[in-house]
């Protein structure tokens, strides 16, 4: 009886464009090169379908021209694949002026990023503020990339991401995946990482707190935070490494934002 009610409720929400579990993409839907349908997500417990987890009215996935990444809705709040954006990309679609993109990111470039405490995929507590420069520490650069287990675009960058984790760790740079997909959990993430021989750390943003703070609607959207805790780059994953190298060299970030995909 409970399962029947759950199925009926999910169907009703789906018709309203409110709840489509996972980061799946219909074949040939027009977004991100016509991604294949991802494996079906496990049916979520209705208790987790709170306001924090439900998509907004724009749909479950990011559009082809959506800004800040080429993947799907990072936490179920993006536009549908190939859907037009409103007024220069008000839903992170399109290529509006930089100040508009920064405003939608939740923080302006150069501003101090709020501290977050979340649990990673191993169950350990992680606090972003511990990476900041102090009198006793030189601090670390943090690269946060929104990722999930069911997104096709994530499959295109995760192998390189895993390599960069190892390459830059000794140089004071942490590459961290952030999973804001409401259908994912630590058990599912760890099973996926093991199956695909990946070892990068994943921050479990179970309430989409980090995603909402940054305004991240698409997976592979990436934020680079310097050792002083300031946002120095925001956009597609492909531009993050150049920003990191600029910061390591003590230079200003040459390209601080990017509308490109992951």
């Amino acid at each position: 009886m409970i399962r029947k009610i759950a199925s009926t409720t999910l169907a009703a929400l789906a018709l309203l464009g409110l709840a489509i579990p996972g980061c799946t993409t219909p074949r040939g839907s027009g977004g991100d090169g016509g991604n294949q349908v991802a494996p079906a997500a496990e049916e979520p417990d209705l208790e987790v379908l709170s306001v924090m987890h439900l998509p907004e009215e724009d749909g479950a996935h990011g559009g082809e021209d959506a800004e800040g990444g080429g993947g799907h809705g990072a936490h179920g709040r993006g536009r549908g694949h190939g859907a037009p954006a409103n007024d220069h990309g008000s839903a992170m679609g399109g290529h509006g002026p930089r100040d508009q993109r920064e405003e939608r990111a939740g923080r302006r470039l150069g501003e101090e990023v709020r501290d977050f405490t979340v649990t990673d995929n191993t169950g350990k507590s992680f606090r972003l503020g511990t990476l900041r420069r102090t009198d006793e520490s030189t601090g670390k650069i943090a690269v946060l990339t929104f990722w999930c287990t069911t997104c096709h675009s994530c499959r295109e960058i995760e192998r390189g991401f895993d390599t960069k984790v190892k390459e830059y760790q000794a140089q004071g740079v942490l590459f961290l995946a952030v999973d804001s997909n409401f259908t994912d959990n630590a058990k599912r993430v760890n099973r996926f990482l093991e199956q695909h021989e990946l070892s990068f750390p994943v921050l479990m943003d179970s309430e989409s707190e980090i995603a909402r703070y940054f305004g991240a609607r698409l997976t592979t959207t990436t934020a680079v935070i310097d050792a002083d805790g300031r946002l120095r780059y925001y956009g597609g994953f492909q531009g993050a490494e150049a920003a990191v190298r600029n910061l390591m060299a003590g230079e200003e970030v040459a390209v601080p934002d990017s509308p490109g995909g992951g």
Side-chain angles (χ1 to χ4, degrees), residues 65-67 79 85-86 88-96 104:
D65 294 326
E67 169 201 351
R79 296 187 63 85
N86 297 322
H88 305 289
S90 60
M92 292 201 64
H95 307 279
R104 288 198 301 276

Side-chain angles (χ1 to χ4, degrees), residues 124-194:
K124 294 181 180 178
S125 179
F126 175 88
R127 183 181 161 205
L128 186 62
T130 61
L131 304 181
R132 295 178 184 175
R133 192 191 319 271
T134 66
D135 292 338
E136 294 77 28
S137 170
T138 58
K140 294 184 178 182
I141 298 168
V143 181
L144 306 181
T145 297
F146 290 92
W147 171 94
C148 70
T149 63
T150 58
C151 168
H152 175 75
S153 293
C154 294
R155 306 295 79 82
E156 297 176 357
I157 66 102
E158 62 195 14
R159 190 65 59 186
F161 185 91
D162 199 54
T163 299
K164 288 175 174 52
V165 169
K166 303 179 181 80
E167 179 182 349
Y168 283 94
Q169 188 170 11
Q171 303 178 61
V173 181
L174 290 185
F175 278 75
L176 302 163
V178 180
D179 191 338
S180 303
N181 182 8
F182 72 93
T183 67
D184 270 348
N185 55 45
K187 180 179 179 180
R188 180 173 182 170
V189 166
N190 289 329
R191 183 170 63 241
F192 180 92
L193 295 176
E194 182 178 1

Side-chain angles (χ1 to χ4, degrees), residues 32-247:
D32 215 16
N35 298 334
Q36 304 298 314
V37 176
E42 298 169 2
E43 182 174 333
D45 186 334
L46 283 182
E47 293 181 358
V48 306
L49 294 179
S50 63
V51 175
M52 288 297 293
H53 296 88
L54 289 178
E56 293 179 339
E57 66 274 10
D58 290 331
H61 305 294
E64 181 179 12
D65 294 326
E67 169 201 351
H72 314 298
H75 52 297
R77 301 179 64 197
R79 296 187 63 85
H81 276 276
N86 297 322
D87 301 328
H88 305 289
S90 60
M92 292 201 64
H95 307 279
R98 177 180 297 176
D99 58 345
Q100 292 180 1
R101 294 200 295 271
E102 291 171 352
E103 182 179 356
R104 288 198 301 276
R107 295 288 121 183
R108 288 189 177 274
L109 291 165
E111 287 190 353
E112 187 172 308
V113 173
R114 201 190 99 195
D115 194 4
F116 289 97
T117 300
V118 294
T119 301
D120 67 18
N121 58 301
T122 69
K124 294 181 180 178
S125 179
F126 175 88
R127 183 181 161 205
L128 186 62
T130 61
L131 304 181
R132 295 178 184 175
R133 192 191 319 271
T134 66
D135 292 338
E136 294 77 28
S137 170
T138 58
K140 294 184 178 182
I141 298 168
V143 181
L144 306 181
T145 297
F146 290 92
W147 171 94
C148 70
T149 63
T150 58
C151 168
H152 175 75
S153 293
C154 294
R155 306 295 79 82
E156 297 176 357
I157 66 102
E158 62 195 14
R159 190 65 59 186
F161 185 91
D162 199 54
T163 299
K164 288 175 174 52
V165 169
K166 303 179 181 80
E167 179 182 349
Y168 283 94
Q169 188 170 11
Q171 303 178 61
V173 181
L174 290 185
F175 278 75
L176 302 163
V178 180
D179 191 338
S180 303
N181 182 8
F182 72 93
T183 67
D184 270 348
N185 55 45
K187 180 179 179 180
R188 180 173 182 170
V189 166
N190 289 329
R191 183 170 63 241
F192 180 92
L193 295 176
E194 182 178 1
Q195 290 174 345
H196 294 268
E197 298 182 344
L198 299 167
S199 58
F200 54 77
V202 181
L203 304 183
M204 302 304 299
D205 185 28
S206 59
E207 295 295 326
S208 298
E209 184 181 13
I210 301 176
R212 294 194 179 197
Y213 176 83
F214 283 106
R217 297 171 184 268
L218 303 175
T219 46
T220 72
T221 296
T222 299
V224 177
I225 304 167
D226 68 15
D228 292 316
R230 300 185 182 280
L231 180 64
R232 302 298 296 277
Y233 171 85
Y234 185 81
F237 174 72
Q238 80 286 349
E241 186 172 18
V244 167
R245 289 179 176 175
N246 286 152
L247 293 175

